[in-house]
Amino acid sequence: STISDGTYLISTLKNSNYPLDVTDASSSNEANIQLWSSNKTQAQQFNVSHDSKGYVTFTNVKSGKVLDVRNGTVQNGANVWQYTSNGTKAQKWIVQKNGSAYTITSALNSNYVLDLSEGKVRSGGNIQIYQSNGTDAQKWTFTKFDSMEQKLDELAENNISTISDGTYLISTLKNSNY
C-alpha cells in the first residue's frame, strides 16, 4: 500500500523533470529503459499494479511491456529494459517509502535496487539495478498521471448533482432570448 495502483511518471529524486522512458518509444522486447527530459508521452507513463503478495509490476502505457532486469541477472550494472510480461521475479519489484521519495527493490534480490547509472541526470541516462547504497541515484518519485479521459470522468463524477434530469431551455447569460 506504499504506492497505489495507477498510472505514474516515475522520476529520479535528483531531478523530477527526468522520468523513466522507453528508448525511442519502442514497443519491442529488450528496448532500453532510460531517463529522458519530461514530455509526458506514453513512453514515460507506467501503470503500477500489485499482485496478491504485494509485488509491483510496472507496465509501460505505450508498449504494454513491463520493466524487466535483463536476463534476470543479479549484479551491479545489470540493465533494465522492457519485456513481455512473464511473471518472473525479474519483472517484480518492491516499492518502499524512503524519506520524501521511494526505493524500488528488485524481487530477484533484496540488496539490489533500481539505479540511475553513474548517478548522472541527463536524457539517455541508463537505468540498471545496483546494490543499495542509499544515494539519490536510487531514489524515485511517483507523479500520478491522469489521462484526459480520466480527468473528464472525474470532472463528470464531481458534478453529477449540479443539474437535475429534466427538460431545459438553455440560453446565454448575455441574452436570455437566445
Side-chain angles (χ1 to χ4, degrees), residues 165-178:
D165 290 349
T167 304
Y168 294 89
L169 175 63
I170 301 173
S171 60
T172 67
L173 283 176
K174 289 187 176 185
N175 186 339
S176 63
N177 293 325
Y178 294 101

Side-chain angles (χ1 to χ4, degrees), residues 104-178:
I104 302 172
T105 303
S106 172
L108 290 167
N109 184 312
S110 63
N111 294 320
Y112 287 80
V113 299
L114 200 67
D115 179 273
L116 171 59
S117 180
E118 301 174 356
K120 294 182 181 175
V121 177
R122 67 185 191 289
S123 288
N126 194 52
I127 303 302
Q128 61 187 7
I129 61 168
Y130 205 89
Q131 284 185 315
S132 181
N133 57 33
T135 65
D136 286 352
Q138 298 180 344
K139 295 178 184 173
W140 305 92
T141 62
F142 288 76
T143 305
K144 186 93 164 145
F145 188 88
D146 291 328
S147 68
M148 186 57 67
E149 181 179 353
Q150 290 167 316
K151 288 178 185 176
L152 289 170
D153 288 349
E154 183 178 339
L155 182 64
E157 184 178 327
N158 291 340
N159 290 286
I160 197 165
S161 62
T162 300
I163 190 166
S164 301
D165 290 349
T167 304
Y168 294 89
L169 175 63
I170 301 173
S171 60
T172 67
L173 283 176
K174 289 187 176 185
N175 186 339
S176 63
N177 293 325
Y178 294 101

Side-chain angles (χ1 to χ4, degrees), residues 60-72:
N60 183 258
V61 170
K62 180 180 184 299
S63 68
K65 307 264 196 279
V66 302
L67 285 191
D68 180 281
V69 177
R70 182 176 183 254
N71 299 326

Side-chain angles (χ1 to χ4, degrees), residues 9-21 33-38 44 46 100-104 114-127 135-143:
L9 296 177
I10 305 168
S11 303
T12 176
L13 178 64
K14 295 181 95 173
N15 187 330
S16 63
N17 291 318
Y18 284 82
L20 298 181
D21 177 274
I33 302 299
Q34 62 184 1
L35 278 191
W36 199 264
S37 180
S38 182
Q44 295 183 343
F46 288 86
S100 62
Y102 297 88
T103 300
I104 302 172
L114 200 67
D115 179 273
L116 171 59
S117 180
E118 301 174 356
K120 294 182 181 175
V121 177
R122 67 185 191 289
S123 288
N126 194 52
I127 303 302
T135 65
D136 286 352
Q138 298 180 344
K139 295 178 184 173
W140 305 92
T141 62
F142 288 76
T143 305

